[in-house]
Amino acid sequence: MVIATLHFEIHVHSVRSLSMFLLKTWRATAFGVYGYLNFTKSAFMEHSKKFNPEDTQARIDGKNCVVTGANSGIGYATAEGLASRGATVYMVCRSKERGEAALSQIQSTTGNQKVHLEVCDLSSISDIKSFASRFSSKNVPVHVLVNNAGLLENKQITTSEGFEQNFAVNVLGTYSMTELMLPLLENAAPDARVITVSSGGMYTAPLTTDLQFSEGKFNSVEQYARNKRVQVALTENWAEMYKDIGISFYSMHPGWAETPGVAKSLPDLNKSLSGKLRTSEQGADTVIWLALQPKEKLTPGAFYFDRAEAPKHLMFSATRGSYSLINNIVEDLRSMSSLSS
């Protein structure tokens, strides 16, 4: 009897393992095909034929925009794009030196001197709290917050505050920055909006409460995908939670863009898709479009790609059901960040 039970349990475990392997293989394959058809530079050129040029010609003088991770890549292109349209831009960067160089370049390129640098390490809760406290004392209403800072660190590194580093930047940092900016966003209501830069990689991952990848062998690409899935689910959650106070929330993904971050973290992808990757400006296009559109044209909590609402789940990928975990995840993030509800 004991042997029969043991055989049965081994069989069930084997079936589950095989099912999970097949599901992960399907997700990766579906993502690869979908991405190759939609996320490349040539796909952007094709999609852009349907763009309305007037959508991104608006001036936003007098609007205050905060962009995290703004010294390079998509963050830089976003900050430059907003500054060129007259916005007052606050670039939140970890490195003072790189931030100052980017700031100077943007001021020179756009002729807009209302571009400012704020130094903050988005992997540190205490640093984010210090920044929020400092910035709040300026009493500046925030019309647009762009959560762009992201990390794909291939090694499993723990921050000084005890968090897995990718999670600390991509999820906990994004959550804390957004929550702490809410009073300043509310001061800009009903025109305030939060735009979070996710990734198409999230299509391969469901939500999980294992936020720091403490179960199983660490896989940085999978952790990044999980982090980016959380960002999309958080956006949906925030949109519902704060729908009555005049702040709108949107997530987006830039496609496969050639940025310093991709070159450093995914050298094989960068090499294999050489010449096919989008520019940072093409990657930032939908961020700027979301910042400029009248809210009535947009769907709160939606996921955008190439100026259009995109699906949050690929067919047969079995990621939709995991969204029942979002409330548990939000509670965990609130507890980890020590932010009151």
Side-chain angles (χ1 to χ4, degrees):
M1 183 70 180
V2 173
I3 294 172
T5 304
L6 189 60
H7 274 286
F8 176 73
E9 286 177 354
I10 291 170
H11 175 70
V12 169
H13 179 72
S14 299
V15 169
R16 277 189 190 143
S17 298
L18 178 61
S19 299
M20 186 48 67
F21 171 76
L22 292 173
L23 185 55
K24 281 189 171 183
T25 303
W26 165 254
R27 285 173 183 155
T29 305
F31 167 67
V33 172
Y34 185 68
Y36 199 79
L37 293 175
N38 291 282
F39 301 169
T40 58
K41 181 190 279 190
S42 58
F44 178 85
M45 301 310 291
E46 190 59 36
H47 296 164
S48 67
K49 291 174 185 174
K50 296 179 183 173
F51 293 174
N52 180 355
E54 291 178 9
D55 282 353
T56 49
Q57 285 172 1
R59 296 282 303 173
I60 46 173
D61 301 84
K63 298 258 181 94
N64 301 307
C65 304
V66 175
V67 183
T68 68
N71 63 278
S72 68
I74 288 161
Y76 178 91
T78 297
E80 184 180 52
L82 295 171
S84 72
R85 290 162 176 83
T88 299
V89 178
Y90 296 88
M91 303 169 63
V92 181
C93 305
R94 183 168 54 92
S95 164
K96 185 170 188 283
E97 189 182 358
R98 289 197 297 270
E100 283 175 346
L103 167 75
S104 172
Q105 185 67 38
I106 289 174
Q107 286 179 332
S108 169
T109 305
T110 64
N112 182 349
Q113 299 306 300
K114 296 173 296 186
V115 184
H116 310 279
L117 174 64
E118 298 289 338
V119 178
C120 176
D121 180 357
L122 270 294
S123 72
S124 164
I125 296 295
S126 65
D127 226 39
I128 294 169
K129 287 179 176 175
S130 296
F131 158 74
S133 174
R134 250 187 357 257
F135 196 78
S136 297
S137 67
K138 299 181 196 287
N139 212 21
V140 171
V142 174
H143 299 87
V144 180
L145 167 63
V146 179
N147 288 316
N148 164 76
L151 179 71
L152 200 173
E153 169 55 57
N154 290 311
K155 295 184 188 130
Q156 190 166 18
I157 296 172
T158 302
T159 68
S160 59
E161 295 172 345
F163 302 111
E164 190 280 316
Q165 195 173 28
N166 292 293
F167 161 77
V169 175
N170 301 329
V171 178
L172 197 55
T174 296
Y175 172 81
S176 304
M177 176 65 78
T178 304
E179 291 284 333
L180 290 167
M181 287 288 107
L182 284 174
L184 300 180
L185 286 157
E186 204 170 348
N187 288 346
D191 198 26
R193 61 192 77 192
V194 176
I195 303 161
T196 297
V197 179
S198 181
S199 163
M202 71 100 197
Y203 281 123
T204 64
L207 284 181
T208 172
T209 51
D210 181 19
L211 296 171
Q212 301 194 66
F213 217 113
S214 49
E215 299 165 16
K217 187 173 182 236
F218 182 74
N219 180 319
S220 60
V221 174
E222 186 176 345
Q223 174 66 335
Y224 183 77
R226 290 179 181 188
N227 292 171
K228 292 297 174 177
R229 169 64 73 186
V230 176
Q231 289 181 336
V232 173
L234 269 178
T235 297
E236 206 173 292
N237 188 261
W238 277 322
E240 180 60 31
M241 195 180 296
Y242 300 120
K243 63 185 177 187
D244 298 327
I245 62 172
I247 307 172
S248 295
F249 295 82
Y250 315 102
S251 59
M252 61 75 66
H253 80 96
W256 291 337
E258 191 167 10
T259 65
V262 169
K264 178 174 179 283
S265 303
L266 297 169
D268 291 345
L269 177 76
N270 202 54
K271 193 175 175 184
S272 65
L273 291 176
S274 178
K276 295 184 174 70
L277 295 173
R278 299 175 176 211
T279 64
S280 293
E281 289 71 29
Q282 290 168 342
D285 178 81
T286 295
V287 184
I288 293 164
W289 179 83
L290 284 167
L292 299 177
Q293 293 322 286
K295 280 190 176 182
E296 53 272 18
K297 285 189 176 180
L298 302 173
T299 306
F303 182 53
Y304 282 88
F305 173 63
D306 283 352
R307 302 194 190 184
E309 197 171 334
K312 293 175 182 170
H313 308 275
L314 292 182
M315 202 176 291
F316 307 125
S317 62
T319 53
R320 194 183 303 274
S322 67
Y323 271 47
S324 60
L325 298 173
I326 189 58
N327 290 332
N328 293 10
I329 290 170
V330 168
E331 284 305 314
D332 286 346
L333 295 176
R334 187 173 290 133
S335 170
M336 289 175 187
S337 61
S338 305
L339 297 180
S340 56
S341 55

